[in-house]
């Protein structure tokens, strides 16, 4: 797990007070996990799922490998990060993963017996590609599962935050396809006090593991690039994000400040048509 120093962490992501027991279990799971085999996908770790990336939306393909994350030559495991206090995976209260309807691609609406609300905001479709680090990132993790969640444009988390505690939108699970990919339709998350704009994700060995909230392979976060955030936050509904983002940088963020090469997504698009984001995750 990465260490983030002694700076104060915002209550949305209080790792030590909420997550030490959970992350200890996850580290043990990863040590026991078997290595995949085979080949068929070009090494992608340290960069996004796209073959090329514009410097204006993402840094150059990462070449640095944080200590402790190297799995094979040229392949870096995605850094382990805190799930924060609002994961909804049963580790801190409510467990949405066991609810019917959580397996879905469209995250914008609540499902089941929740209030039935819809998250508003600039459209964002993001694709995560899960690859096997033990194979040198050359093998897609077919049949794995990814659970994602993020805040709404006001910075609130469904299931927890006052005003949206009865909602469960902006959360969902999918099984990876033959390319190791999952794609979710959502809205661009806001920026709340003390944290860089991000999306949480957990990787599981299978859909059955995910929907029973067992055997988490990896927990991490996707970061969004500043220029895109600036453009989105200039639109209606994101007013509070402008000042919050202005006080932050990736280098000062409590999670991303020790390196974000494996976590900064490639984002394309515009406000009118919406954005697409891609990221490759080595586990």
């Amino acid at each position: 797990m990465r260490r983030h120093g002694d700076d104060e962490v915002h209550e949305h992501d209080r790792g030590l007070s909420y997550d030490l027991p959970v992350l200890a279990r996850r580290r043990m799971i990863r040590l026991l996990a078997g290595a995949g085999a085979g080949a068929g996908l070009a090494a992608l770790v340290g960069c996004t799922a796209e073959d090329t990336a514009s410097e204006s939306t993402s840094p150059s393909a990462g070449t640095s490998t944080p200590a402790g994350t190297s799995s094979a030559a040229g392949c870096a495991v995605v850094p382990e990060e805190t799930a924060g206090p609002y994961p909804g995976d049963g580790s801190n209260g409510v467990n949405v993963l066991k609810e019917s309807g959580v397996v879905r691609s469209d995250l914008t609406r609540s499902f089941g017996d929740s209030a039935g609300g819809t998250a508003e905001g600039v459209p964002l479709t993001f694709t995560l590609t899960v690859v096997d680090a033990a194979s040198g990132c050359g093998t897609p993790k077919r049949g794995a599962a990814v659970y994602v969640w993020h805040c709404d444009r006001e910075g609130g988390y469904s299931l927890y935050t006052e005003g949206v505690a009865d909602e469960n939108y902006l959360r969902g699970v999918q099984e990876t396809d033959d390319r190791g990919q999952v794609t979710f339709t959502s809205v661009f998350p806001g920026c709340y006090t003390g944290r860089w704009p991000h999306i949480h994700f957990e990787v599981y060995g299978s859909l059955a593991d995910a929907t029973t909230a067992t055997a988490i392979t990896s927990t991490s976060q996707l970061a969004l690039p500043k220029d895109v955030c600036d453009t989105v936050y200039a639109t209606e509904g994101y007013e509070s994000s402008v000042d919050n983002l202005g006080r932050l940088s990736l280098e000062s963020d409590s999670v991303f400040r020790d390196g974000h090469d494996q976590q900064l997504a490639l984002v394309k698009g515009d406000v009118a048509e919406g954005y697409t984001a891609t990221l490759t995750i080595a586990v």
Side-chain angles (χ1 to χ4, degrees):
M1 178 182 174
R2 306 167 100 189
R3 300 182 64 88
H4 302 301
D6 297 326
D7 291 355
E8 181 180 356
V9 177
H10 187 269
E11 68 172 359
H12 282 273
D13 290 278
R14 291 203 300 262
L16 289 177
S17 62
Y18 286 89
D19 299 305
L20 281 177
V22 177
L23 292 179
R25 173 173 60 86
R26 291 170 181 168
R27 286 195 296 270
M28 181 60 67
I29 289 168
R30 295 189 65 187
L31 287 172
L32 297 175
L41 186 69
L44 292 169
V45 75
C47 58
T48 63
E50 298 288 337
D51 292 333
T52 59
S54 167
E55 186 173 350
S56 64
T57 56
S58 178
S60 300
T63 55
S64 61
T65 302
T69 65
S70 180
S71 176
C75 178
V77 175
V78 67
E80 193 79 4
E81 305 289 9
T82 176
Y86 307 135
D89 62 1
S91 62
N92 186 31
V94 64
N95 189 345
V96 74
L97 292 173
K98 295 185 177 181
E99 294 187 16
S100 175
V102 72
V103 180
R104 59 184 185 152
S105 60
D106 187 347
L107 309 180
T108 57
R109 295 178 180 272
S110 289
F111 61 89
D113 296 328
S114 294
T118 299
E120 302 293 338
V122 172
L124 173 67
T125 298
F126 58 98
T127 297
L128 305 178
T129 302
V130 185
V131 296
D132 178 29
S135 71
C137 298
T139 304
K141 297 285 282 187
R142 174 186 179 186
V146 183
Y147 167 47
V148 301
W149 71 98
H150 64 82
C151 70
D152 59 24
R153 67 181 178 183
E154 287 83 23
Y157 282 88
S158 67
L159 302 177
Y160 295 92
T161 303
E162 183 178 359
V164 295
D166 291 330
E167 305 289 354
N168 57 22
Y169 53 49
L170 307 183
R171 299 176 183 272
V173 177
Q174 279 197 70
E175 183 178 33
T176 58
D177 61 17
D178 289 347
R179 296 173 295 176
Q181 293 185 341
V182 292
T183 298
F184 295 94
T185 301
S186 192
V187 296
F188 204 94
C191 179
Y192 52 82
T193 303
R195 277 307 318 278
W196 189 262
H198 61 282
I199 296 173
H200 292 269
F201 61 86
E202 291 175 344
V203 180
Y204 292 80
S206 68
L207 188 60
D209 286 345
T211 53
T212 55
T214 58
I216 299 172
T217 300
S218 180
T219 302
S220 195
Q221 299 179 27
L222 173 156
L224 294 162
K226 184 180 187 303
D227 61 335
V228 178
C229 292
D230 285 336
T231 300
V232 172
Y233 296 162
T235 65
E236 183 179 0
Y238 288 94
E239 289 83 2
S240 64
S241 294
V242 176
D243 288 341
N244 291 335
L245 185 66
R247 293 189 288 268
L248 295 167
S249 70
L250 279 163
E251 289 68 31
S252 67
D253 181 70
S254 60
V255 169
F256 300 124
R257 67 187 177 196
D258 54 356
H260 48 265
D261 287 346
Q262 284 76 49
Q263 295 162 288
L264 186 60
L266 170 65
V267 180
K268 298 179 178 180
D270 55 49
V271 169
E273 299 297 327
Y275 289 89
T276 61
T278 53
L279 183 71
T280 294
I281 304 164
V283 298

